[in-house]
Amino acid sequence: MMEAIQAQLPVLQVVIPLLAAPLCIILRRRSLVLPFATGVCWLTFLVSVVLLGDVLEAGVISYALGGWAAPWGIEYRVDALAAFVLLFVSGIAALVLTYAPRSLTDEIPASRHYLFCTLYLLCLTGLLGIAITGDLFNVFVFLEVSALSSYALIALGGRRQALPAAFQYLVMGTIGATFILIGIGLMYQMTGTLNMADMAARLPAVEGMRTALVAFGFLTVGIALKMALFPLHVWLPNAYAYAPSVVSAFIAATATKVSVYILLRFMFSVFGLEFSFEQLGLGSALMPLALAGIFVASTAAIFQRNVKRMLAYSSVAQIGYMVLGISFATATGLTGGIVHLFNHALIKGGLFMAMGCIMLRLHSVDLDDMAGIGRAMPWTMAAWALGGLGLIGVPATAGFISKWYLIEAALEQGSVLVAVLLLLSSLLALVYVWRVVETAFFHEPSERTREAREAPLSMLVPTWVLLGATVFFGIYTAYSAGVAEQAAEAVLGGLR
Amino acid sequence: MTETVVDNVLGLYNYWVVIFLMMTGFYIVISRGNLIKKVIGLNIFQTSVFLFYITVGKVSGGTAPIVAEGLEVYSNPLPSVLILTAIVVGVATTSVALSLVVRIREAYETIEEDEIQAQDETR
């Protein structure tokens, strides 16, 4: 019995949240829906834990959907990288939904909670599907499943600015997804297959042709739009700033990370290292964009008054770090990029969750309203400060590990300049993190902040779990950097 | 000379239509401030991709992929199937976009991008 279930785990990973989503509409009652959805998320997390264990022990898992053998049928393929992404996406989804009830009651009318849960589970389905599938067209479908539900989730935001923000995200997201669709179509035209491994084997024969180059171009731009790589990031700040707190925490922690995963899959697993980086020089195109993104977005973050918006700009900068790691195209660089995927997901998820606590008590996340809030809500703001240290990259936090690998990768390639720029960029992070810490702890509290109470435990505990994890993974790196190293090797090895 | 013209222009006319529609849609999305027009532009842009996939699947002289006597050459059905999915996605995108426009109209009393921005800045 257990073995039969274990063999079906790859498909269960996606099917459980997918089937649970419409069930939320049937259940409908708030007191039933939220515990149900939370339980489903934890179950999904459990599946991903078992999958990661299996992969690390026995190697790549290939699952033929519906019994149709690849390359004709759709293949689900779990390697170390996919399992790693599945693990943190489902884990953060479960934690955020555990944290959600109080914040939701405050920000979204109770009559819409069942719709929120449906959208949330659909979004999770899409993100997990992208990570697990080994089929190119399937990637597009899951991409749209997660994107469409996230547009609606963002539009649930309380202020009216959420609506134009969601619309702008929709327009840019659809353009990005359509670009990816064009790229996939051109690749299908060249090779006659949609299975990633099969395509990786057939591409070398046609790689020199113009159609393959055009496909590569469309895919790169489309994915860059989706992951908000500078200068294609303009949809992101407003979308994250005006979404409900719970949605900001979930999407900021997972959505762009999964897009970075798509980049890794396409550029390394499908096109292959040699074609993407040696022939076309993708690295030298990505690196300046990544560095420019780090500096421009970090500087923009310094000037934001809305703290959620500040965190959003910081997210754009952090995407820059991940892409920088990828652009080295070495084992160390990739490890840095992949481990930063994970670390930043924890840090940014935790920071947005702490902002959700502030939103609950103050009904504002403007810096001006937060003067002295550190005295009224010490636990929330201490958690925020801890996350902030991670963003800067202080030793003994997870952020330090990522930057350590990135700088090591830069030095390996002899680019001292990049290493110096990386260190300088941390100073920018220090400035914007300090602005919030200073306002919260060292300014005189206003009347409004004096009246505020500490956030409820149901929200504080998940926030601390996530931010506490950043310290844990800053000290014990075997499970983060160790797995990331394996994932990097799997990616560099390709599918062939 | 005439042969290349015939081959590249007439022989590939499907692709020219695809590119024309793609650029038209893309241009509308970028240049228009009216949100409904943006949605229409997005639709045209997506439609061009549908047409592209169907063109890819066509085998000249091929029939519909049905097993029947005397028929040897079939068009590839897979791109059509794929694009059915993409059409559904396109419909979903349009409906989400339009419902957002309705709510934007309720909140701002306008669907012009610059007027929406102006309202948010003055507040």
Side-chain angles (χ1 to χ4, degrees), chain A residues 83-244:
Chain A
F84 191 47
V85 173
L86 290 173
L87 181 80
F88 78 73
V89 168
S90 59
I92 286 174
L95 260 181
V96 169
L97 205 57
T98 311
Y99 151 104
R102 283 296 297 269
S103 179
L104 282 182
T105 316
D106 193 53
E107 292 180 31
I108 299 173
S111 59
R112 288 196 198 144
H113 284 184
Y114 73 101
L115 291 174
F116 166 84
C117 287
T118 311
L119 290 169
Y120 190 91
L121 288 175
L122 277 178
C123 190
L124 176 64
T125 307
L127 296 173
L128 294 174
I130 294 170
I132 207 168
T133 187
D135 184 276
L136 288 165
F137 196 79
N138 222 223
V139 169
F140 166 76
V141 174
F142 279 123
L143 193 69
E144 285 292 31
V145 169
S146 69
L148 282 168
S149 44
S150 61
Y151 306 146
L153 280 172
I154 287 165
L156 285 171
R159 291 167 68 177
R160 65 173 181 176
Q161 285 96 321
L163 298 169
F167 187 83
Q168 193 189 18
Y169 182 19
L170 182 142
V171 169
M172 298 197 65
T174 306
I175 291 173
T178 311
F179 268 43
I180 293 173
L181 185 63
I182 297 169
I184 293 172
L186 289 167
M187 284 163 78
Y188 177 70
Q189 190 178 18
M190 297 302 288
T191 59
T193 182
L194 286 166
N195 182 284
M196 286 184 191
D198 199 27
M199 181 164 305
R202 291 186 191 195
L203 265 178
V206 295
E207 258 168 6
M209 294 173 78
R210 195 178 288 156
T211 315
L213 297 179
V214 175
F216 189 84
F218 270 114
L219 284 170
T220 312
V221 176
I223 299 168
L225 248 171
K226 276 283 176 190
M227 66 183 184
L229 178 67
F230 177 84
L232 299 171
H233 66 279
V234 286
W235 57 266
L236 187 140
N238 277 340
Y240 285 12
Y242 296 116

Side-chain angles (χ1 to χ4, degrees), chain A residues 112 137 140-141 144 148 151-152 155-157 159-164 166-168 170-171 174-176 178-186 188-189 192 194 218, chain B residues 15 22 26 29 35-36 38-39 42 45-46 49-50 52-53 56 76 78-79 82-83 85-86 89 92-93 96-97 100-101 103-104 107-108 113 116 119-120 123:
Chain A
R112 288 196 198 144
F137 196 79
F140 166 76
V141 174
E144 285 292 31
L148 282 168
Y151 306 146
L156 285 171
R159 291 167 68 177
R160 65 173 181 176
Q161 285 96 321
L163 298 169
F167 187 83
Q168 193 189 18
L170 182 142
V171 169
T174 306
I175 291 173
T178 311
F179 268 43
I180 293 173
L181 185 63
I182 297 169
I184 293 172
L186 289 167
Y188 177 70
Q189 190 178 18
L194 286 166
F218 270 114
Chain B
Y15 290 96
M22 198 180 280
F26 201 37
V29 177
L35 299 186
I36 293 286
K38 268 186 192 297
V39 176
L42 213 53
F45 181 54
Q46 287 181 314
V49 183
F50 305 160
F52 165 66
Y53 267 72
V56 167
N76 185 350
L78 186 65
L82 296 179
I83 227 54
T85 315
V89 170
T93 312
V96 174
L100 278 175
V101 173
R103 285 192 55 201
I104 288 174
Y108 290 85
E113 208 173 30
I116 293 169
Q119 280 191 35
D120 277 339
R123 262 166 27 95

Side-chain angles (χ1 to χ4, degrees), chain B residues 4-24:
Chain B
T4 41
V5 170
V6 171
D7 276 359
N8 289 338
V9 179
L10 298 177
L12 297 175
Y13 78 97
N14 272 34
Y15 290 96
W16 288 110
V17 173
V18 168
I19 292 168
F20 176 76
L21 282 178
M22 198 180 280
M23 292 305 121
T24 309

